[in-house]
């Protein structure tokens, strides 16, 4: 794989070798790929003798990812929303910061300031468009991969310590990598490359229990989640004349169904199954902001729409962002009109070219 050139690998070996307190950071609202890549990196650092490694995140990962954690990884995590001092100090004391699955510091929300202030060496391993390469000493950035977990897998396999054999990694690490790739591809539904299948094949050969992973990811949800999905698709889904499907999920509805973080994962993809839908948006009220998930079919850029109108970005066909209250909309009630107005502009004013 071209991007994983040996100079960069040598530099990474050197940076890890010279560090005594490495810290792993990933994006806010961490998903399967964010946590999967972070946990795999943590185990690699431990294998490299870096027993002091920490994983620092802005806010807690969803419950369904709990199966990825062993005793060591659970102890290594610092969560800013639960213990701000511990998270800040871990970054301040760190001499190597490895950033996974995001392209710019602001994607870590409250950790951003500590990352900016830190003089530690910084490494980026990411698969999003438009990485802020200037902020890093070493960048592994590639968009033609399924996930940060996949890119990290290729990086780890190029490291002398593994010698290209995934069986040298502990089973927690290989399960974490398989999980991150599986959630970011929607279980091989999108963003699958030859290198993705190669990784999956090698991980299976190394003994990863994919059935157990699938069971943990997809078969452990609450009854409420499925009922909410029914309500969303039947009663809340709107489709515009431009082929934009959208759902606005207010706080009241989330509470009525006792929805937890991660419960609506994947719902935004469903309206793309409709023939004339080009793009699908899911908006979730979240305190003083509305979180936006965008998915698009080939030929329509979710990334561009997110960057232009939703204060975000991401990948070509899977992106996200936010609407701020009151800067963008007065309240959640204004979200539908905002979407209709700006997606109509997106499809009629030449932004697609
Ligand atoms: P999701 O809809 O699952 O939250 O996000 C879809 C994809 O877009 C993920 O890869 C996520 O990391 C990325 N993404 C979400 N929000 C943002 C954002 O504000 N900026 C950028 N650059 N990427 C985002
Ligand atoms: Mn990802």
């Amino acid at each position: 794989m071209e991007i994983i050139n040996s100079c960069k690998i040598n530099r990474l070996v050197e940076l890890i070798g010279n560090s005594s307190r490495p810290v792993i950071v990933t994006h806010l609202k961490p998903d399967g790929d964010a946590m999967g890549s972070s946990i795999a990196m943590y185990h690699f650092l431990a294998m490299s003798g870096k027993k002091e490694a920490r994983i620092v995140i802005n806010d807690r990962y969803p419950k369904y990812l709990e199966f990825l954690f062993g005793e060591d990884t659970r102890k290594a995590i610092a969560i800013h929303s639960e213990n701000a001092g511990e998270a800040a100090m871990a970054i301040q004391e760190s001499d190597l910061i490895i950033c996974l699955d995001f392209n710019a510091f602001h994607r870590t929300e409250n950790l951003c300031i500590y990352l900016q202030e830190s003089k530690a060496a910084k490494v980026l391993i990411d698969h999003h468009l438009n990485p802020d390469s200037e902020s890093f000493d070493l960048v592994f950035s590639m968009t033609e991969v399924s996930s940060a977990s996949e890119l990290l897998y290729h990086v780890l396999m190029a490291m002398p310590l593994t010698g290209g054999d995934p069986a040298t990694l502990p089973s927690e690490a290989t399960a974490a990598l398989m999980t991150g790739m599986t959630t970011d591809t929607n279980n091989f539904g999108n963003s699958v490359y030859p290198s993705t299948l190669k990784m999956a094949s090698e991980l299976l050969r190394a003994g990863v229990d994919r059935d157990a992973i699938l069971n943990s990811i997809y078969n452990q949800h609450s009854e409420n989640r499925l009922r909410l999905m029914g309500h969303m698709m039947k009663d809340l889904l709107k489709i515009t004349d431009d082929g934009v499907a959208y759902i606005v999920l207010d706080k009241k509805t989330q509470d009525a169904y006792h929805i937890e973080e991660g419960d609506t994962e994947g719902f935004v993809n469903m309206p793309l199954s409709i023939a004339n839908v080009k793009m699908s948006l899911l908006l979730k009220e979240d305190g003083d902001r509305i979180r936006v998930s965008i998915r698009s079919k080939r030929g329509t850029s979710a990334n561009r729409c997110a960057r232009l109108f939703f204060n975000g970005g991401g990948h070509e066909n899977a992106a996200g962002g936010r609407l701020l209250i009151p800067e963008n909309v007065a309240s959640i009630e204004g979200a539908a009109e905002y979407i209709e107005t700006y997606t109509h502009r997106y499809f009629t004013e030449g932004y697609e070219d």
Side-chain angles (χ1 to χ4, degrees):
M1 197 161 288
E2 207 263 315
I3 195 99
I4 303 181
N5 69 46
S6 52
C7 291
K8 286 189 183 184
I9 291 295
N10 291 341
R11 181 92 179 101
L12 183 59
V13 170
E14 189 187 344
L15 286 173
I16 292 175
N18 291 338
S19 119
S20 54
R21 289 172 179 275
V23 155
I24 296 157
V25 177
T26 190
H27 60 78
L28 79 164
K29 307 279 178 193
D31 56 6
D33 189 31
M35 291 320 303
S37 55
S38 295
I39 288 170
M41 190 73 219
Y42 171 82
H43 286 292
F44 181 78
L45 292 173
M47 265 171 77
S48 309
K50 310 296 163 183
K51 308 287 182 200
E52 304 290 309
R54 302 293 306 267
I55 302 173
V56 183
I57 47 181
N58 179 70
D59 48 298
R60 186 168 278 279
Y61 50 86
K63 244 196 228 146
Y64 82 94
L65 292 172
E66 203 64 61
F67 76 99
L68 293 176
F69 289 80
E71 210 176 302
D72 290 354
T73 28
R74 203 167 277 116
K75 278 194 207 135
I77 284 248
I79 306 179
H80 186 276
S81 63
E82 296 175 12
N83 189 338
E86 185 192 18
M89 202 188 296
I91 295 177
Q92 283 160 345
E93 290 181 345
S94 168
D95 51 9
L96 174 64
I97 301 177
I98 301 178
C99 297
L100 297 168
D101 198 31
F102 67 91
N103 55 3
F105 289 159
H106 69 84
R107 293 277 296 133
T108 66
E109 191 93 341
N110 295 307
L111 306 179
C112 179
I113 179 84
Y114 306 110
L115 297 176
Q116 282 168 340
E117 283 173 355
S118 166
K119 299 272 181 290
K122 299 184 189 82
V123 177
L124 177 68
I125 301 177
D126 179 49
H127 69 127
H128 292 89
L129 293 160
N130 317 107
D132 177 19
S133 301
E134 306 278 279
S135 299
F136 297 89
D137 300 279
L138 177 62
V139 174
F140 295 89
S141 169
M142 199 173 166
T143 55
E144 306 280 290
V145 286
S146 61
S147 52
S149 296
E150 180 189 330
L151 182 53
L152 176 62
Y153 174 81
H154 300 308
V155 169
L156 295 183
M157 289 306 100
M159 298 289 277
L161 192 58
T162 67
D165 180 2
T168 57
L169 298 171
S171 60
E172 253 188 59
T174 48
L177 291 168
M178 184 70 107
T179 298
M181 179 276 290
T182 302
T183 56
D184 255 29
T185 60
N186 245 315
N187 198 12
F188 296 101
N190 51 261
S191 316
V192 171
Y193 298 87
S195 57
T196 315
L197 297 177
K198 178 174 186 285
M199 166 207 190
S201 160
E202 291 172 2
L203 286 176
L204 283 181
R205 199 175 304 125
V208 168
D209 187 349
R210 201 174 116 79
D211 289 340
I213 290 172
L214 293 184
N215 192 46
S216 297
I217 301 174
Y218 298 116
N219 299 341
Q220 301 297 328
H221 294 300
S222 66
E223 176 182 338
N224 267 321
R225 174 186 171 276
L226 195 68
R227 297 202 182 277
L228 172 65
M229 187 179 89
H231 173 52
M232 285 166 66
M233 299 308 152
K234 179 170 172 288
D235 305 319
L236 304 183
L237 176 65
K238 305 272 183 291
I239 302 173
T240 74
D241 292 343
D242 298 310
V244 174
Y246 70 90
I247 295 170
V248 178
L249 192 59
D250 61 19
K251 179 78 169 56
K252 209 173 85 207
T253 310
Q254 294 174 44
D255 289 347
Y257 285 87
H258 305 291
I259 277 309
E260 291 181 11
E261 194 53 47
D263 274 353
T264 53
E265 183 124 13
F267 291 178
V268 63
N269 295 290
M270 293 175 176
L272 290 182
S273 65
I274 301 167
N276 61 355
V277 167
K278 296 178 184 160
M279 185 157 76
S280 169
L281 295 92
L282 172 58
L283 277 76
K284 276 173 82 175
E285 187 176 6
D286 184 13
D288 61 352
R289 66 177 71 177
I290 300 167
R291 280 158 61 195
V292 183
S293 283
I294 311 179
R295 302 292 184 269
S296 61
K297 284 185 184 158
R298 196 182 284 190
T300 298
S301 175
N303 175 60
R304 202 173 311 136
C305 192
R307 284 166 69 86
L308 282 167
F309 301 123
F310 294 96
N311 308 301
H315 313 287
E316 189 60 10
N317 299 120
R322 62 207 52 73
L323 291 181
L324 303 174
I325 301 171
E327 289 86 341
N328 301 121
V329 289
S331 70
I332 188 76
E333 278 76 37
E337 192 187 334
Y338 185 99
I339 297 172
E340 299 227 359
T341 304
Y342 286 99
T343 60
H344 184 63
R345 283 183 57 182
Y346 182 76
F347 280 104
T348 54
E349 294 185 10
Y351 292 109
E352 280 265 69
D353 307 328

